[in-house]
Amino acid sequence: MKDHRELYNAAVTEGRSPLDPLFLLLTLIFVAGYILISVIILAVCRYRAREAKLKIISQSLLLSLFSLFAWFVIVTILLQTEILTSRNAMIYYFIGYLLWSVVLRHLIGKHNIMPDYRKLFHILFKSAPTAIFLLDRKGSIIEMNPRANQWFEGIPVQQITSHFQCDDGPGFNEILALYVQGKDKAANMEIRMNNPDPNQGHMDLMMGFELIDGVNEQLFVMHLTDVTSLKDTERKLLESERGYKHLAHHDLLTDLYNRTAIREHLELKTAGNDWFALALIDLDNFKQVNDTYGHHVGDLYLRHIADTIKFGAKPGDLLGRIGGDEFVLIVPCSEQSEVNALINDRLSLLSETSFPHEATEIPISFSVGVSVYPRDTTDVTKLIKYADEAMYKVKRSGKNGSLIYSRI
């Protein structure tokens, strides 16, 4: 009735279940029916059993099945209410089934019944798609399934855990110590497996960790799920997000701050009531450079200007391009500072150089208008306007100079 892409949405890795609601319901009905039939069989066995031992065994198996069914229902509800993500829900489903299998193995070994179920447990253990380890109290690996052997081929068994790298929190040995001390009973964390074989690369793993009580000896069950592809996708998304943020605040040609970013920085600076000088730098005769040499050379010319100003800037300065041939330089200062000297110091290299293109030296000429916060105004818009007015006075009086804004 439905296409497989409707029944299972492979793109859903977080939030609700990737299964279609109808498919999920049918799956739960199947699981519930399977458990119900098992319960009926066990109930009949208990009713017909004459020995007290068999009644106890049947009752223990019934209780374990009810617990398994309750676990599946609880995890499904948490998944559908988006408290658990799909990835974590799958881990918890497997943990529940694994714990039930361990309890079943214990009952079989303890009461020496249905010995064939031992083979069933080993089939499950060996065919699991995740890597499963059985550890002793010291963290030594007692047994691992074929998937674990495949993932960690070539690494000595007792050295496997030493290659686990936890980004946050305690290390692997510290986690084991907490469990042994009884301070924690479960753990789920992301770890990275750094394979010494360069051809294998690294693996990002989701580690589930359980301390199993109630068996002849205390064991740790550790299972690892490969989430490398998911983590790689996550890293690419984060890199893309950083790239978009960078593009949103930087000029594409010069990689300096753009108008939006400069205004945001000015708002932050004025909020802190710090003194600073704002210099608007407008290139003289830039249109002639474009007309004479072409727009490609004009772009190279602008990049050279940006690099030169950046080279002459000091720590704490802010530099941006807010127009075609207009730059802004923000310099920290104080009430006693010689603002003109500060600006000329930053722009001295630009004044003394030219732009080399092939066999031609293209001269660099620019006009600068400067306003000072908060001496001239405390309003950002007016501060830019005053610097602009000072810069145009320089333009009208012959260009290639600088002027500090004055109301007179």
Side-chain angles (χ1 to χ4, degrees):
M1 292 173 60
K2 292 191 176 185
D3 185 77
H4 69 278
R5 286 167 298 206
E6 293 178 274
L7 293 177
Y8 181 81
N9 186 354
V12 176
T13 58
E14 303 289 348
R16 294 171 66 89
S17 171
L19 294 179
D20 181 89
L22 178 60
F23 197 16
L24 180 63
L25 177 62
L26 292 174
T27 304
L28 290 176
I29 291 173
F30 176 83
V31 174
Y34 175 84
I35 295 178
L36 180 60
I37 292 173
S38 302
V39 167
I40 292 173
I41 295 173
L42 287 171
V44 171
C45 291
R46 185 180 185 280
Y47 175 77
R48 297 183 62 180
R50 296 181 180 181
E51 297 179 14
K53 178 181 177 181
L54 292 180
K55 289 183 180 290
I56 293 173
I57 293 172
S58 301
Q59 183 175 327
S60 299
L61 292 174
L62 278 170
L63 181 61
S64 69
L65 280 172
F66 278 126
S67 300
L68 176 63
F69 180 73
W71 177 263
F72 279 11
V73 171
I74 291 171
V75 173
T76 303
I77 292 173
L78 294 176
L79 172 62
Q80 291 302 99
T81 54
E82 298 186 7
I83 295 176
L84 286 180
T85 63
S86 301
R87 182 174 62 184
N88 289 335
M90 294 303 296
I91 292 173
Y92 282 112
Y93 281 136
F94 187 82
I95 289 174
Y97 195 80
L98 180 62
L99 292 177
W100 175 77
S101 301
V102 171
V103 171
L104 183 62
R105 181 184 184 184
H106 166 64
L107 291 173
I108 292 170
K110 180 178 180 181
H111 300 288
N112 194 26
I113 58 171
M114 293 181 275
D116 289 341
Y117 271 22
R118 292 179 178 269
K119 297 180 180 179
L120 180 60
F121 176 83
H122 281 289
I123 291 173
L124 172 67
F125 182 74
K126 291 180 180 180
S127 62
T130 57
I132 305 173
F133 296 85
L134 295 180
L135 313 174
D136 63 16
R137 286 174 58 89
K138 297 180 180 179
S140 300
I141 298 175
I142 299 173
E143 189 176 356
M144 59 183 180
N145 69 345
R147 179 67 65 172
N149 275 314
Q150 177 187 347
W151 285 359
F152 307 116
E153 183 179 3
I155 303 176
V157 174
Q158 297 307 325
Q159 294 182 15
I160 290 176
T161 56
S162 66
H163 293 281
F164 292 163
Q165 178 182 345
C166 304
D167 293 334
D168 301 310
F172 184 80
N173 292 331
E174 286 79 4
I175 294 173
L176 281 175
L178 290 175
Y179 282 154
V180 171
Q181 295 168 13
K183 295 182 179 179
D184 205 346
K185 289 295 180 185
N188 284 287
M189 65 174 58
E190 292 181 1
I191 63 172
R192 171 172 285 206
M193 171 65 187
N194 295 314
N195 199 308
D197 184 353
N199 297 323
Q200 297 293 332
H202 77 275
M203 291 179 68
D204 291 298
L205 302 168
M206 178 67 72
M207 182 181 74
F209 214 58
E210 290 290 337
L211 177 59
I212 307 300
D213 291 314
V215 294
N216 295 331
E217 58 178 327
Q218 198 174 45
L219 298 175
F220 292 101
V221 177
M222 179 177 67
H223 58 90
L224 304 173
T225 304
D226 185 4
V227 293
T228 306
S229 59
L230 292 175
K231 294 298 292 183
D232 287 343
T233 302
E234 181 182 340
R235 281 188 283 268
K236 289 177 182 178
L237 288 174
L238 289 174
E239 290 175 4
S240 297
E241 183 181 357
R242 284 193 290 267
Y244 290 139
K245 288 182 178 179
H246 184 85
L247 290 175
H249 290 84
H250 289 78
D251 173 55
L252 288 175
L253 179 63
T254 62
D255 202 40
L256 301 179
Y257 285 127
N258 59 18
R259 180 182 292 273
T260 301
I262 286 293
R263 193 165 191 90
E264 289 178 1
H265 280 292
L266 286 174
E267 296 290 351
L268 290 174
K269 279 186 159 296
T270 55
N273 293 320
D274 298 324
W275 277 66
F276 63 87
L278 184 146
L280 284 182
I281 307 163
D282 190 271
L283 303 181
D284 300 328
N285 310 316
F286 178 64
K287 185 177 182 302
Q288 294 180 12
V289 175
N290 272 337
D291 293 342
T292 304
Y293 301 98
H295 289 279
H296 174 68
V297 175
D299 289 344
L300 296 177
Y301 182 79
L302 290 174
R303 288 177 186 169
H304 175 78
I305 299 293
D307 292 341
T308 305
I309 301 176
K310 189 187 299 185
F311 186 81
K314 308 292 183 185
D317 294 351
L318 290 173
L319 178 61
R321 180 188 177 212
I322 60 174
D325 60 346
E326 193 170 17
F327 298 83
V328 61
L329 177 63
I330 301 171
V331 178
C333 66
S334 65
E335 191 173 357
Q336 293 78 30
S337 296
E338 290 291 336
V339 175
N340 196 41
L342 290 176
I343 299 301
N344 288 337
D345 177 61
R346 265 66 166 185
L347 300 178
S348 60
L349 184 61
L350 187 64
S351 303
E352 298 166 359
T353 60
S354 58
F355 173 61
H357 173 64
E358 296 179 350
T360 307
E361 293 288 334
I362 303 175
I364 296 175
S365 174
F366 56 92
S367 301
V368 183
V370 184
S371 58
V372 179
Y373 176 91
R375 187 189 67 192
D376 297 329
T377 181
T378 57
D379 181 79
V380 170
T381 302
K382 289 183 179 179
L383 193 71
I384 297 173
K385 177 185 175 184
Y386 292 160
D388 194 57
E389 290 178 2
M391 182 265 293
Y392 274 103
K393 284 184 180 180
V394 176
K395 291 277 190 183
R396 288 192 293 269
S397 58
K399 304 181 179 180
N400 197 28
S402 63
L403 180 66
I404 307 294
Y405 172 79
S406 174
R407 297 180 183 273
I408 302 175

